[in-house]
Amino acid sequence: ASPPAIVLVIGGIHGSEPAGVPLIETLDEHWPTLDGDRAVDLLLIANLNPDGVLAHRRTNANGVDLNRNNEHGYGQNNSSSTDPVSLINRGPAIASEPEILALQAAAALAPAGQLRLYVDVHSFSQIYFAPLTGNSRRDELTVQLMQRMRAVTNFKYRDGRSTASGTGNDAIGTTADYFAYDYQVPSWTLELEPLNGGQDYGGTASHGHSGFILPDSEIARVRDEQAQTHLLGFYRQAGP
């Protein structure tokens, strides 16, 4: 039998956006044992930035935005800063932060050659930010998989694919950029609901990098919706 496919899902990279943490913990509970040619193993990192989550702070303990500290797009497209107090401080160098090095090491041990999908879960704005690299086969697979997963929730999550031609949501040093370019596998930043903010649930909110915590009444529904969405994605990437 072929070795199992590996799918890597992380949460908590921005400590002010912890919605991915319970989702990822749920994925392991929902994941069935598959036999035949569709074997897949889950590599789940529920909380990549425990210091940030504990402090409800976007950055890590060094004040670095871990989702701007990666190789592809580092310091590009006006999406990060060298200001040490900025919420989008990219850090002093590419992969300068221990959390990013740990993520890269985990993927390498997976082993790397079996990685088939990478997902980084955030909140909010209800969109798949999916980097396209210019590798036509890889990009086609990425879009097909994203559309299948979007269909599970009737396309309420938006299509945020980038282009590989210098426009759109191009590389800005995210972990999704790293896995898209270095591993050439489907990869994206998934922003969970809400679309607009607290007003979607009868409250108030503002946009920006302040993150969002789902109301208690919505957590189970979103968690279960996304568990089903991801199980479909995992099954599709398992082969043969």
Side-chain angles (χ1 to χ4, degrees):
S2 300
I6 305 293
V7 294
L8 172 55
V9 187
I10 75 163
I13 192 171
H14 288 154
S16 56
E17 304 176 30
V21 175
L23 165 63
I24 293 166
E25 292 171 344
T26 298
L27 291 177
D28 192 40
E29 299 169 6
H30 280 71
W31 184 235
T33 300
L34 298 180
D35 52 21
D37 292 324
R38 288 190 178 267
V40 60
D41 286 340
L42 307 188
L43 179 54
L44 306 177
I45 303 175
N47 186 358
L48 188 70
N49 180 11
D51 294 314
V53 170
L54 184 63
H56 192 66
R57 180 184 61 224
R58 178 181 173 94
T59 57
N60 72 349
N62 296 330
V64 173
D65 182 343
L66 298 174
N67 216 32
R68 299 294 187 274
N69 189 235
N70 300 272
E71 177 180 359
H72 300 282
Y74 179 82
Q76 298 176 13
N77 292 310
N78 299 313
S79 293
S80 62
S81 172
T82 58
D83 184 344
V85 299
S86 171
L87 290 176
I88 51 174
N89 170 26
R90 60 180 173 263
I94 293 169
S96 61
E97 302 310 297
E99 297 90 345
I100 295 301
L101 294 175
L103 174 62
Q104 293 178 1
L109 290 171
Q114 292 166 224
L115 188 67
R116 296 291 180 269
L117 173 65
Y118 174 78
V119 181
D120 175 18
V121 185
H122 291 241
S123 60
F124 62 106
S125 65
Q126 215 164 292
I127 190 169
Y128 288 75
F129 285 124
L132 302 185
T133 67
N135 177 332
S136 58
R137 181 174 181 276
R138 178 261 169 205
D139 290 349
E140 181 180 358
L141 289 171
T142 296
V143 172
Q144 288 177 351
L145 182 63
M146 176 181 65
Q147 302 296 44
R148 289 178 185 275
M149 292 175 70
R150 291 177 62 227
V152 175
T153 53
N154 295 316
F155 298 98
K156 72 178 181 179
Y157 281 80
R158 295 176 292 153
D159 177 344
R161 77 184 83 170
S162 74
T163 72
S165 61
T167 61
N169 181 47
D170 284 341
I172 57 174
T174 68
T175 58
D177 291 326
Y178 171 78
F179 283 97
Y181 283 90
D182 267 37
Y183 284 77
Q184 291 293 324
V185 296
S187 169
W188 48 66
T189 302
L190 172 62
E191 298 278 359
L192 297 176
E193 62 175 84
L195 175 62
N196 303 298
Q199 59 266 44
D200 292 1
Y201 311 117
T204 60
S206 61
H207 286 284
H209 295 295
S210 55
F212 190 85
I213 298 177
L214 284 167
D216 289 345
S217 60
E218 307 295 333
I219 291 174
R221 175 186 58 80
V222 173
R223 181 189 62 203
D224 291 344
E225 284 181 356
Q226 287 302 316
Q228 293 304 312
T229 297
H230 282 79
L231 294 182
L232 168 68
F234 298 166
Y235 186 76
R236 294 292 306 182
Q237 289 308 97

